[in-house]
Structures are given as C-alpha cells and as structure tokens.
Amino acid sequence: MAESDRGSLGEVRAAISREIVRLQAEYYGKGPTRAKTYIAEDLVVVVLEESFTRAEKTLAERGERDAI
C-alpha cells in the first residue's frame, strides 16, 4: 500500500470515528470517550469505549444487563 493511500485511509477512519461519536452524543445525550475504526476490505468496525449513559451504567452495576 502506498504511503498516500495509508494517509487517506487514516483520514477516512478518523472521520468515521468522529461521526459515530457525534451521532451517539446527539441521539443518546452522551458520546463515547474513545472510538477506533477498523476497515478491512468491505467491512467497517467501530469500537467504542465508555459509551453507556448513567442509567445504563446503573443497570449494569445492578446486574440487569438484559435491560440495557
């Protein structure tokens, strides 16, 4: 892969991560603290860290994970 292709791919991954964080914040009131995007052929995966709302965290702490 050429150096310019890697740079372009990095920019695309960063843009996808930013947009997912923005959408989470807009629709759920809180965005994740970190997002990382992976692209492999025709697959895009975005891994989010700490994306639960306060209510979801409370449910998880109570063991009510199915309710989340």
Side-chain angles (χ1 to χ4, degrees):
M1 180 181 292
E3 188 67 34
S4 63
D5 290 341
R6 277 188 233 140
S8 296
L9 183 58
E11 291 170 12
V12 169
R13 288 192 314 247
I16 291 170
S17 293
R18 279 192 305 273
E19 188 62 14
I20 292 296
V21 168
R22 186 192 71 74
L23 287 170
Q24 284 267 330
E26 180 179 335
Y27 288 100
Y28 298 110
K30 178 189 177 299
T33 58
R34 192 166 172 215
K36 185 160 184 179
T37 300
Y38 300 90
I39 300 174
E41 296 179 23
D42 62 346
L43 177 67
V44 176
V45 176
V46 182
V47 178
L48 306 175
E49 289 185 19
E50 297 184 34
S51 62
F52 283 157
T53 63
R54 186 172 293 158
E56 290 169 329
K57 285 180 184 177
T58 300
L59 288 169
E61 289 168 0
R62 292 182 181 170
E64 300 179 41
R65 297 181 186 276
D66 290 342
I68 298 175

